[in-house]
Amino acid sequence: MEEIDRRIVTLLARDGRMSFTDLARETGLSVSAVHQRVRRLEKRGVLRGYAALVDYDAVGLSLTAFVSIKPIDPAAADDAPERLAHLSAIEACHSVAGDESYILKVRVASPLALEELLGQIRTAANVSTRTTVVLSTPYEHRPPEPGGPAGGA
């Protein structure tokens, strides 16, 4: 990927609503050149979409936890993501190496809600769980930096 495209990706990762005019100013390109590059990055799947960042405390989901899961029966089908897809409290599901099969990022309103969710996860996917509750989040959603590890440097 060209350096200028990396810069555009970084700028849009910081502010997905940045105008083509502002992108042009920040990159030194014309507005039409920026527009073409953004469309090309979208078509290539580099830019997969634009989303709002939610203040989870404000919407009543103040407890975040990571739930590691592994099948109770190791010979069972590896279909936990499909079995858990209906649980909207699960924000992300990551397949991982190690003792567990997946790590789930969940957001709920309270410890009681977490306890209920854990029961739903265990029942729906026939898994055991290990839970880590998040105390605070110093940073999240950090954009890639041009020339950084994502750039192959």
Side-chain angles (χ1 to χ4, degrees), residues 77-134:
D78 184 12
D79 60 354
E82 293 82 10
R83 289 176 173 226
L84 299 173
H86 69 283
L87 297 173
S88 62
I90 300 174
E91 180 179 311
C93 175
H94 303 279
S95 176
V96 296
D99 289 337
E100 286 88 10
S101 300
Y102 297 92
I103 295 178
L104 312 173
K105 181 179 182 182
V106 304
R107 294 191 191 265
V108 293
S110 66
L112 179 59
L114 177 60
E115 185 175 19
E116 291 171 0
L117 177 63
L118 292 172
Q120 293 172 339
I121 290 169
R122 290 182 193 119
T123 300
N126 195 31
V127 294
S128 63
T129 61
R130 184 175 56 85
T131 304
T132 303
V133 174
V134 174

Side-chain angles (χ1 to χ4, degrees), residues 5-25:
D5 289 338
R6 283 192 194 97
R7 179 77 178 134
I8 290 169
V9 168
T10 298
L11 291 167
L12 287 173
R14 286 188 188 139
D15 179 4
R17 296 181 67 174
M18 184 176 260
S19 70
F20 290 125
T21 302
D22 290 339
L23 283 169
R25 185 177 343 99

Side-chain angles (χ1 to χ4, degrees), residues 140-153:
E140 189 172 45
H141 305 294
R142 295 173 71 175
E145 291 296 326

